[in-house]
Amino acid sequence: MTPESDDHAPEPPAANPYARTRVLDAFTVVEAAGEIDLATADFLAEHLAAATATARPDVLVDLRRVEFFDCSGLRVLCRADSRAKERGGRLRVVTDDPRLHRLLRASGLWARFTPLPSIPRVR
């Protein structure tokens, strides 16, 4: 048995009602769904922890299926973003929801998480 290197991601956690992970082209996509709040943010956090565990992670957090998102979700995003940057990577959010846009602006996190309207295509 060999130890895992930083270049290989651990197995993503099992999908749950609030988050699932998939690899798409060069990105690790963590898709969130439903209500992300104090009671459910840890389900998203475990997926983001695994996604940011590699060297130079490129993570997209797809929030397009989220119905509610509060400061607990923002805290999870900030922690995951910090982990990604510490490893030379990046974390971006995907949403076109005006409510999430307002939340990011009101929280002062718009510049940190300027949302993409859709998942970018790699050519």
Side-chain angles (χ1 to χ4, degrees):
M1 192 176 250
T2 60
E4 280 188 32
S5 75
D6 278 353
D7 292 334
H8 295 42
E11 278 297 310
N16 60 61
Y18 306 100
R20 73 181 185 129
T21 300
R22 64 189 173 103
V23 175
L24 179 67
D25 298 321
F27 310 112
T28 300
V29 179
V30 176
E31 298 173 338
E35 296 185 2
I36 305 299
D37 57 19
L38 183 61
T40 61
D42 285 344
F43 292 107
L44 176 58
E46 72 177 326
H47 281 264
L48 290 174
T52 58
T54 63
R56 294 176 302 286
D58 197 353
V59 180
L60 296 172
V61 185
D62 188 349
L63 302 176
R64 293 177 294 177
R65 294 182 48 227
V66 168
E67 298 162 6
F68 178 82
F69 200 86
D70 71 5
C71 61
S72 301
L74 290 177
R75 189 173 319 122
V76 167
L77 288 180
C78 288
R79 284 188 202 137
D81 181 56
S82 294
R83 276 194 310 274
K85 287 177 180 168
E86 287 169 4
R87 294 176 170 269
R90 64 183 173 172
L91 181 139
R92 295 175 288 167
V93 299
V94 178
T95 183
D96 56 359
D97 186 332
R99 293 171 300 166
L100 285 171
H101 288 192
R102 281 192 301 276
L103 178 63
L104 290 169
R105 283 188 180 101
S107 65
L109 294 171
W110 181 264
R112 186 172 182 179
F113 298 114
T114 305
L116 302 170
S118 62
I119 293 176
R121 293 186 178 221
V122 176
R123 294 175 195 236

